[in-house]
C-alpha cells in the first residue's frame, strides 16, 4: 500500500531527480511550453507554479529563492519582469497539460506542458 507516499522517483537518485526538475522548470519558463512524459509533467507542474507565485511576490528574498532553483539568471529575470505581471490577477493554475500521441519508441504517454496565456 502506498499510504502517505507522495511524489515519483523515476528510477533516479535524489540529486539526479532534482536536477531533472530544475532543468524542466527552467525550460518551461524559458520557452513557455515543453513536450515530455505525463508523469514528469505532473511533477514539474507544481514546482513551476510555485516559481510563478514567487515571481508575483517580487521581493529580493523571493528573487533569490527563485534564482536558487532556476538554472538560468535570464530566465529568472524573465519570470519577474514578464511572466509574474501577466498572472498578477490570477490566483493560480498557470499551466495546462495537453495529451499527445504516445511516444513511438516505447509507447510512453506524452504531453505538452504549457503556460496559460
Amino acid at each position: 500500500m502506498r499510504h502517505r507516499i507522495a511524489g515519483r522517483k523515476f528510477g533516479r537518485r535524489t540529486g539526479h531527480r532534482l536536477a531533472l526538475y530544475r532543468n524542466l522548470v527552467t525550460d518551461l519558463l524559458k520557452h513557455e511550453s515543453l513536450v515530455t512524459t505525463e508523469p514528469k509533467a505532473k511533477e514539474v507542474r507544481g514546482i513551476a507554479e510555485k516559481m510563478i507565485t514567487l515571481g508575483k511576490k517580487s521581493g529580493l528574498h523571493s528573487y533569490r529563492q527563485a534564482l536558487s532553483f532556476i538554472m538560468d539568471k535570464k530566465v529568472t529575470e524573465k519570470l519577474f519582469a514578464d511572466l509574474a505581471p501577466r498572472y498578477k490577477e490570477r490566483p493560480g493554475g498557470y499551466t495546462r497539460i495537453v495529451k499527445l500521441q504516445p511516444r513511438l519508441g516505447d509507447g510512453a504517454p506524452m504531453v505538452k506542458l504549457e503556460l496559460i496565456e
Side-chain angles (χ1 to χ4, degrees), residues 21-60:
Y21 294 159
R22 291 177 69 189
N23 283 320
L24 286 173
V25 169
T26 302
D27 288 343
L28 175 63
L29 296 176
K30 182 177 183 180
H31 302 292
E32 299 188 16
S33 70
L34 62 96
V35 176
T36 185
T37 61
E38 187 175 5
K40 287 179 188 174
K42 286 183 176 181
E43 286 293 317
V44 167
R45 174 178 49 187
I47 301 169
E49 298 210 2
K50 286 178 186 174
M51 292 297 120
I52 294 173
T53 303
L54 279 176
K56 287 170 63 175
K57 291 181 183 177
S58 71
L60 180 61

